[in-house]
Amino acid sequence: MTYEDLIPEIRRLAIEAGAKIMEIYNSDDFDVKVKSDDSPVTAADEAADALISAGLRAAFPDVMLVTEEQSESHKERGDTFLIVDPLDGTKEFIHRRGDFTVNIALVEKGIPTRGVVYAPAKERMFFTLADGSSVEETGDFDPAEIGATSPIRTAKSDNAALMVVASKSHRDQATDDYIGKYNVQDSKSAGSSLKFCLVATGEADLYPRVGRTMEWDTAAGHAVLSGAGGKVVRFDDHSPLLYGKEGYANPFFIAYAPDVELKEA
């Protein structure tokens, strides 16, 4: 598998999965089930997962695949693998708020190096190129052909007037307490992995996450942010956030533009 092979494939699969998700999103009604961990799942999660996982296994049969909706894959261990969240932001989807994404990433030696984040309801798509740099694509999102793209870079942050983005569904007092340590010009809420992408494009400087996430929630956004010059570190000791951990659960973390002067937890 080369990066030149990988990028068009994960982009295509994200777009095709996004189309399936939007069919269900725009329907009159859809069923919501509850998984064993009490998180919701819809037909859109399952349809997107089936499409993406089949496509990745056909294209890259020798690469380990971890996907949120297939619990058997969570028992796999390795330091290089593809990781998928077919519909990140299911709560946003259920409430028809639009802040949901399709996420596909490649992790190598514990680090997300390539990825795609597609927000079909927002008509925004972010991905890494073969060289590792990140772009935002605009246009019709033709699955077969990459359209017009613009390079994205993190902001040159002003620590006296930071823009902060935080979770729409999971914001709590601990998050607000940490944000309060900074000089904040403004803050916004966003769902799903879009928060990483807002830091990647310079629309925000800082995204702290003081709450539970899994590696499939963050890997693609992490890759996009890294390709735009940003960083993701553990909340407790500011060491790099690594992947392939037991159970694929993340510690609390901070995603940020490199000029931000991080505060202690």
Side-chain angles (χ1 to χ4, degrees), residues 47-184:
D49 181 69
L51 186 154
I52 294 168
S53 58
L56 291 175
R57 287 187 173 116
F60 311 113
D62 297 328
V63 182
M64 184 178 127
L65 175 63
V66 178
T67 171
E68 178 183 12
E69 302 306 335
Q70 296 176 37
S71 58
E72 283 299 307
S73 73
H74 306 170
K75 299 173 186 175
E76 299 282 337
R77 296 301 302 281
D79 65 357
T80 297
F81 51 92
L82 291 159
I83 187 163
V84 175
D85 189 343
L87 201 172
D88 182 31
T90 301
K91 290 179 182 176
E92 310 301 325
F93 177 90
I94 291 167
H95 296 297
R96 300 184 192 270
R97 289 197 287 247
D99 278 17
F100 51 85
T101 54
V102 180
N103 299 270
I104 308 171
L106 172 67
V107 172
E108 298 179 281
K109 297 181 179 178
I111 299 168
T113 60
R114 301 293 185 277
V116 58
V117 175
Y118 178 40
K122 297 283 188 182
E123 297 185 336
R124 297 193 76 175
M125 167 172 274
F126 311 87
F127 60 93
T128 54
L129 299 175
D131 66 4
S133 64
S134 293
V135 297
E136 179 170 5
E137 180 174 348
T138 56
D140 297 331
F141 304 123
D142 180 350
E145 185 175 358
I146 296 175
T149 61
S150 300
I152 56 176
R153 294 296 295 176
T154 53
K156 294 188 179 300
S157 304
D158 177 0
N159 284 281
L162 294 176
M163 176 67 75
V164 177
V165 63
S167 175
K168 185 170 285 185
S169 296
H170 302 280
R171 187 155 178 172
D172 58 12
Q173 190 60 49
T175 303
D176 288 338
D177 289 346
Y178 183 70
I179 291 170
K181 297 182 177 187
Y182 293 86
N183 294 315
V184 177

Side-chain angles (χ1 to χ4, degrees), residues 7-17 51 55 59 125 142-144:
I7 301 309
E9 191 68 20
I10 62 175
R11 176 192 167 276
R12 176 184 68 81
L13 291 170
I15 291 170
E16 291 179 353
L51 186 154
M125 167 172 274
D142 180 350

Side-chain angles (χ1 to χ4, degrees), residues 19-40:
K20 280 196 172 293
I21 288 167
M22 291 307 295
E23 283 177 24
I24 297 167
Y25 185 71
N26 291 324
S27 65
D28 290 337
D29 197 15
F30 48 80
D31 292 331
V32 179
K33 295 182 284 188
V34 178
K35 294 190 286 189
S36 59
D37 63 357
D38 291 332
S39 62

